Every structure is written in C-alpha cells, then in structure tokens.
Amino acid sequence: MGNYKALDGARPTWDRGDMADTRAVTEAESRQQFYDSLADHSMAPLWTSLHDLLPEEPRSQAVPHVWSYDIVRRKLLEAGDLVSARDAERRVLVLENPALAGRSRATERLYAGIQLVLPGEIAVPHRHSQAAIRFVIEGTGYTTVEGEQCRMSMGDLVLTPGGCPHDHGADGEDPLIWLDGLDIPIVEFMRATFFEALGDEPMPLTKPVNASAAAMGRARLNPPTIRGWDAAHSPLFLYPWTETIAALEALHASGQSTPTDGSILEYVNPVNGGPVLPTMACYAQLIPAGTRTDAHRHTPSAVYHVVQGEGTTVVDGRELSWSEKDTFVVPGWAVHEHVNESQQSAVLFSVTDEPVHRALGLYRERPAGQRRGG
Ligand code: 1HN
C-alpha cells in the first residue's frame, strides 16, 4: 500500500490501493518519493539545485595557502635521498591545496609542484597535452624543448607548451629546483589528455642552445618569419630573469604602476602580445617598499612565487605572510591585496588561468567591496 512506484504508472490508477487505509502522505514525502522515482530514470528536478548550480557569484572550494620554502626544500631533498629522477620519472612534490587534498591541484584549475633534479641526473623525455611553465628557484641546468636546450638558472621562465617533447637535466654543481605550473585540471575537465614516453636517452639537440630566446626574445625587433607562426603558444621557450628584472625595474623607475598590482609585466607571446600559453598567463610584479595595493578580485586563480623580499597578501581576510622563495595561492574571485611593509621592494612571479576565462568570455574583475558592476 502506498507504494510510490505505483504512481509512476506501472499500475493503472484504479489499482493503486485503498488510499483511505494509509496515513496521509506529507507533501515533503511525496516530493521526495517523486525525486527518487526520477533518479531511477536518470532524471532530477532542477528546482532543488538551481541556486547551487548558479550561485550569485563564483564560489571557490580552494582556500588561500602559503608553502614555506624551508619546509618544501627540506622535504624535496629527503625525496632526493629516497627516489632517483630515473625511478620517479619526475621527482616532484605536488603543492596540494588543503581544501583539495588528494586531487593534485593548487587551485581548482591549476596544478603546481616543486621539482628537484640532482646534479648529473636527467628527467627523461616525454610529451603530453598539458602545457607547463617552469620557474627556476635555485641551481643550474636545462630543459630541452623540441630539440632546443633552454638554459635554466634562478628566475628564468621556461615553457613546455602542450604537445612539445621535453626533458630536463641538472649539469651544475648544485641541486636544480623549480616551480612547475601545469593546466592539468583544465585538460582533465576537457578529457583531452594524451601522453607519450620518448625513451630513456636525452632528447637530441637539433637547434642552438637558447635559440628561440636569441631569435625572438626582443619583441620590438622580431624576425619577419614570426608571422608564419600559427601555434596557440608562444614561439619563445625561455624568458631569462636578467631581462625580466631589468624590465620590471625600468617600469618601476618610470613611475608606472597599477593600484591593484604595483608595477606589473605580463610575459607575452611575441607574435601577438597575448599570453604565453593558451591556458596560462604569467606575470612578474614589483611591490615597492612600504606600499599596500588596493584590494580586488577576479575570476582567474593564481599561484604566486616570491622571487625577492617579504610581505603579506590578505586574501578574503586571511593573512598570508611570505618571504623569499615561498609559494602561495589566491583562489579565483578571492579578494586580495599585497602589503609590503619592509624597506625593500618585493618581486612576485605568478601563473594564472586567465586566458581560459578570457577565451570563454568569463573573465570578470571587481574592486573589493563593490557588489555589482564587474
Ligand atoms: C611533467 O611532465 C613535468 O616534464 C612535471 O617536468 C610535472 C606533472 C604532471 C604531469 C606531467 C615535467 C608534471 C608533468
């Protein structure tokens, strides 16, 4: 009696049983029974989830977090004692957002890790659809991308765009350590992952060392052949720190700065002035001594790396204190401001998922405290 399934049409109306015998079914119960019946047919009511699907504003699951380099470095060197680069393929400690533990991501849309290659080791060649940026923290060595060896030392940015074969090696005296930023969560969401191992030997060098940076690393003076470049990523694989810091200091000296980010430069694709990769944008910014930026929020999430100096980033009211070589994350749509109360400029590198927001027409930014109009 009162078997809800009967109402589903399995039995004719005249055979539903004697309703007078049953207790009154509450509205809530009959709705729930109806919802359960829908689930049996792979359907669901929209009205019970409409505002979870469409909150008024973005809601991030990721939380603001800082990884202290002291701890990361110590754990990385412990990993170096336990596992060879050959055994690991990539010896990386993944920076996992505390709210996304076990999901290999620093924010909902960005993967970040810190990689160690010990002197004399190589990380064997492979390629995958995920694009990567490498920002060098310490040591010297190289990443070879499509047969071009890109030399790496502190502050250099190296790109391994999606699909490009790459390997790494540490050929200096010291451990080589860098920040990896990859678009893994985005590619995973698109179910567009392809991976190919390319053997155990270092990739053959088919071009001069640092060839792309030498040829196209001065966007005011491009070789005309650059017009023929039709890939979605920058043709430059290396952005040396000497040039980045010189440009940043010159920008700061010129007096140009933004209220929300201090003096900031985007690493660009010299073909079109756009982001370095179709899924990720990279920035370097200088927060002058004794300054505080205006608080703002934007839909992209960001992974920051502290190149120089110390300060605090206030994210949704939470204070993230950082110093040299630390890494921290600001989730999408989190209100954030950078504070540098020290006597020295602070310099931050960051990687964000901004190009995806822009390409899809989803990019929004807004000053803190303003409810609408972004
Ligand atoms: C990868 O290929 C590298 O080439 C580093 O160094 C980290 C994380 C997930 C998938 C591929 C590298 C990675 C990765």
Side-chain angles (χ1 to χ4, degrees):
M1 290 296 131
N3 175 358
Y4 184 74
K5 293 242 160 187
L7 294 183
D8 208 21
R11 289 156 68 197
T13 33
W14 48 263
D15 192 27
R16 274 187 189 161
D18 183 356
M19 296 302 283
D21 289 351
T22 61
R23 67 188 170 83
V25 182
T26 66
E27 186 182 68
E29 280 170 337
S30 29
R31 283 187 183 180
Q32 191 53 53
Q33 287 172 338
F34 173 62
Y35 302 156
D36 293 346
S37 79
L38 289 177
D40 292 343
H41 300 285
S42 305
M43 290 187 278
L46 172 62
W47 57 92
T48 59
S49 57
L50 181 62
H51 293 290
D52 285 331
L53 287 175
L54 308 183
E56 287 190 355
E57 295 194 350
R59 282 184 199 149
S60 273
Q61 248 187 296
V63 292
H65 191 73
V66 193
W67 289 267
S68 147
Y69 190 60
D70 286 347
I71 299 170
V72 170
R73 186 176 199 277
R74 177 156 50 83
K75 288 292 164 192
L76 204 49
L77 294 176
E78 283 178 33
D81 284 338
L82 285 169
V83 187
S84 67
R86 208 165 276 278
D87 284 348
E89 187 165 336
R90 295 295 186 265
R91 191 199 288 113
V92 180
L93 296 184
V94 180
L95 303 182
E96 286 199 314
N97 192 284
L100 304 170
R103 294 177 57 199
S104 300
R105 57 200 67 192
T107 74
E108 279 147 301
R109 293 171 299 280
L110 294 171
Y111 161 101
I114 309 285
Q115 183 158 175
L116 167 68
V117 185
L118 289 169
E121 283 187 326
I122 64 159
V124 297
H126 66 199
R127 65 173 170 157
H128 39 72
S129 14
Q130 288 78 1
I133 65 95
R134 329 281 176 180
F135 189 81
V136 183
I137 303 173
E138 58 174 293
T140 54
Y142 63 84
T143 290
T144 301
V145 194
E146 287 194 320
E148 173 185 330
Q149 185 182 86
C150 298
R151 300 298 310 168
M152 295 169 100
S153 59
M154 202 280 287
D156 294 342
L157 172 69
V158 173
L159 307 181
T160 61
C164 296
H166 56 278
D167 63 17
H168 314 284
D171 53 12
E173 308 267 284
D174 300 309
L176 172 59
I177 301 178
W178 69 79
L179 168 73
D180 281 317
L182 284 89
D183 54 9
I184 291 174
I186 297 167
V187 179
E188 181 186 294
F189 179 70
M190 306 307 284
R191 290 289 181 269
T193 295
F194 294 89
F195 177 90
E196 189 183 356
L198 298 169
D200 290 335
E201 296 305 314
M203 198 184 329
L205 303 185
T206 56
K207 298 170 193 166
V209 170
N210 292 352
S212 67
M216 294 170 289
R218 293 169 186 78
R220 300 183 304 286
L221 295 165
N222 272 336
T225 47
I226 204 168
R227 286 186 220 282
W229 183 262
D230 60 1
H233 58 80
S234 170
L236 277 177
F237 295 139
L238 171 66
Y239 294 73
W241 181 246
T242 47
E243 293 174 15
T244 308
I245 191 64
L248 202 53
E249 283 175 349
L251 178 72
H252 173 53
S254 80
Q256 271 220 31
S257 70
T258 66
T260 52
D261 285 294
S263 293
I264 183 162
L265 290 172
E266 181 176 3
Y267 294 80
V268 297
N269 175 342
V271 179
N272 54 23
V276 288
L277 293 164
T279 48
M280 293 184 289
C282 292
Y283 291 92
Q285 71 192 90
L286 184 152
I287 314 292
T291 63
R292 167 186 283 262
T293 64
D294 288 354
H296 76 147
R297 47 170 50 178
H298 40 60
T299 49
S301 61
V303 177
Y304 287 86
H305 184 75
V306 184
V307 187
Q308 172 190 310
E310 59 185 50
T312 301
T313 299
V314 186
V315 189
D316 282 342
R318 205 137 132 195
E319 293 198 353
L320 302 181
S321 290
W322 38 259
S323 57
E324 205 171 295
K325 299 189 182 325
D326 292 347
T327 304
F328 62 96
V329 287
V330 175
W333 208 238
V335 174
H336 58 285
E337 62 192 292
H338 305 295
V339 186
N340 178 3
E341 288 174 335
S342 80
Q343 311 287 320
Q344 189 205 357
S345 295
V347 177
L348 302 174
F349 167 83
S350 59
V351 55
T352 84
D353 49 59
E354 177 183 339
V356 181
H357 295 256
R358 292 205 185 271
L360 301 180
L362 297 171
Y363 182 86
R364 300 286 185 281
E365 64 176 284
R366 200 182 285 171
Q370 187 178 321
R371 247 184 85 70
R372 294 267 181 234

